[in-house]
Amino acid sequence: MAQTETNKPADTIYFGGVKGVIWGNPGKDGKPTRYSVQYVRSYRTEDGSWRDTNSLGELDNLKIGPLYLKVADRIAELKSEGRQAANAEEDEE
């Protein structure tokens, strides 16, 4: 899947073959950015190319718990960075 600058993930966190893709959705009217997460498993096709799927098996499901915690921590960091940047902009005015 080709990504452009406008729809690039805010971050991607990996754990045990499953990844949490974090998307930033800019807030309107001065509201902060909101984040959403897509959980994806990567696999190889018969020809050796990599593909992603949102369909997770029972073992993948067990990996979501630890991955969820890592993703939640990263979103908290992104929000903190956003607040710091907003405060720096206010200080410059």
Side-chain angles (χ1 to χ4, degrees):
M1 172 185 341
Q3 298 290 333
T4 65
E5 280 301 311
T6 57
N7 69 347
K8 204 172 181 184
D11 206 347
T12 303
I13 309 297
Y14 298 87
F15 182 81
V18 180
K19 61 186 172 183
V21 183
I22 303 169
W23 298 94
N25 305 300
K28 296 179 182 176
D29 300 324
K31 293 185 179 177
T33 299
R34 297 186 54 104
Y35 295 93
S36 60
V37 181
Q38 179 182 21
Y39 292 98
V40 179
R41 177 178 54 88
S42 298
Y43 66 95
R44 278 199 171 196
T45 62
E46 289 181 8
D47 69 1
S49 60
W50 285 96
R51 298 280 191 259
D52 286 341
T53 182
N54 294 349
S55 178
L56 303 175
E58 63 184 288
L59 294 178
D60 298 322
N61 191 50
L62 296 174
K63 299 170 188 173
I64 294 295
L67 179 59
Y68 169 82
L69 296 174
K70 291 175 181 249
V71 167
D73 286 345
R74 181 61 183 134
I75 289 173
E77 291 172 359
L78 290 167
K79 286 182 172 184
S80 177
E81 291 168 7
R83 284 191 298 271
Q84 290 173 359
N87 288 341
E89 286 177 15
E90 287 177 8
D91 289 344
E92 289 177 7
E93 294 176 359

